[in-house]
Amino acid sequence: MRLDGRRVLITGAGSGIGRALAIGCAAKGAHLILAGRRQTALDETLLPAGHPAIAVPADIASAGGRAALHRAAAAQGALDVLINNAGVVQSGALEMQSDVALEHLFAVNVLAPIALVRDLLPLLRAAEQPRVVSVGSVFGDIGHPLFAAYGASKFALRGFSDAMRRELAGEGIGVTYAAPRATHTPAAEGFADLVEPFAMTMDNPEVVAAEIIRAIERGAPMAYPRGLERLFVWIQRLF
C-alpha cells in the first residue's frame, strides 16, 4: 500500500509513537486524522508534521470520544487505515493496583480499540485495500513480572487482531498487529526504575514508527522488533 493520499486515523497521536507515526505518515503524503486527549499536544504534533491534518481531541475510552472520531472520518467519505496506537502502560506488583486503575487499563488498551474497529468498519469497507493496525507490545507475547495486567491487555489485543484478520479476510480488510519493545515515550517514565534491573532495550519512537509504517506498506500481518526480543517471542510460541 502506498500511503500517498490515503486517509489515516491515528489514536494517541499527541506524543510518543503516535506522534512519530503522524510525522512519518505525513512524510509519505497521507491525509491524517489525529486523535488524542489534549488539544495542545495534538497541536504540537501538527506543527512538525508540516502536512494538512485534522486534530480531534477525544478520549477513545468514552463513547462520545469515539463518536467524534467517527464523524471526522465520515466527513472524508472513507477510511483507508485505522491505527489503534493509544494505550496505557501500568507496572508494579499486581497487589498494589486498584480496581479503578485496572478498569482504566483495559478500557483504553482493549475495549476502546475493539469498539473503534466495530464503529469504523463501514468507513473501512468504503476504502480500497483498507487496513487496521493495532499497536501492542512484546509483553503481549511474553508474560513479564511486574507487568502482569498490562501484558494481559496486550495479549487480548493480539488475540483480537488475529481473530479480526480471519474475520475480515474475505472483505479485503487487512489487519496488522505491531509489537514494539520498550520505547522512549512519556508512558515509559512510569517504569524507569525497571529498565536497568530487567536489562530492557529501549527504542526511539521514530524507529518503532518506521517499522510500523513499513509493515503497513508491505501489508504485513505482524511487525516485531529486530533483535533478541523477536527470538524470545518465537521461543515462547514454540515451547
Side-chain angles (χ1 to χ4, degrees), residues 19 23 42 48 51 55 63 73 77 84 113 127 130 141 173-174 196 198 220-221 223:
R19 177 174 290 176
I23 295 170
L42 292 175
H51 188 80
N84 283 313
D141 282 88
I173 301 176
E196 185 174 346
F198 285 128

Side-chain angles (χ1 to χ4, degrees), residues 99-114:
D99 285 352
V100 171
L102 292 173
E103 288 167 5
H104 179 63
L105 176 74
F106 278 82
V108 176
N109 290 10
V110 183
L111 298 180
I114 289 175

Side-chain angles (χ1 to χ4, degrees), residues 25-183:
C25 288
K28 298 280 186 177
H31 299 289
L32 303 176
I33 301 172
L34 305 181
R37 289 180 296 119
R38 295 180 295 116
Q39 180 70 53
T40 53
L42 292 175
D43 290 341
E44 292 172 4
T45 295
L46 290 170
L47 289 174
H51 188 80
I54 300 168
V56 183
D59 179 2
I60 62 166
S62 72
R66 294 191 296 272
L69 292 181
H70 185 278
R71 288 192 296 271
Q76 306 301 307
L79 181 64
D80 295 288
V81 183
L82 166 62
I83 303 181
N84 283 313
N85 165 74
V88 175
V89 180
Q90 196 166 302
S91 62
L94 180 62
E95 62 187 326
M96 302 303 294
Q97 298 176 25
S98 67
D99 285 352
V100 171
L102 292 173
E103 288 167 5
H104 179 63
L105 176 74
F106 278 82
V108 176
N109 290 10
V110 183
L111 298 180
I114 289 175
L116 265 182
V117 172
R118 178 199 63 196
D119 295 346
L120 295 175
L121 268 178
L123 297 175
L124 289 162
R125 290 186 176 113
E128 182 181 349
Q129 294 182 317
R131 181 160 292 272
V132 174
V133 182
S134 291
V135 181
S137 166
V138 292
F139 287 175
D141 282 88
I142 301 171
H144 202 286
L146 302 184
F147 290 88
Y150 173 73
S153 73
K154 295 303 184 178
F155 267 81
L157 188 61
R158 177 167 63 89
F160 172 68
S161 298
D162 287 347
M164 290 309 297
R165 186 179 302 114
R166 294 162 184 156
E167 184 170 327
L168 299 175
E171 300 185 55
I173 301 176
V175 176
T176 297
Y177 174 74
R181 58 193 164 202
T183 308

Side-chain angles (χ1 to χ4, degrees), residues 12 14-19 38 87 89 183-192 202 205:
S15 65
I17 296 171
R19 177 174 290 176
R38 295 180 295 116
V89 180
T183 308
H184 290 289
T185 67
E189 295 173 4
F191 60 87
M202 300 283 287

Side-chain angles (χ1 to χ4, degrees), residues 205-220:
E206 294 76 16
V207 172
V208 175
E211 289 285 351
I212 294 171
I213 290 171
R214 279 194 289 272
I216 294 171
E217 291 176 324
R218 296 195 314 269

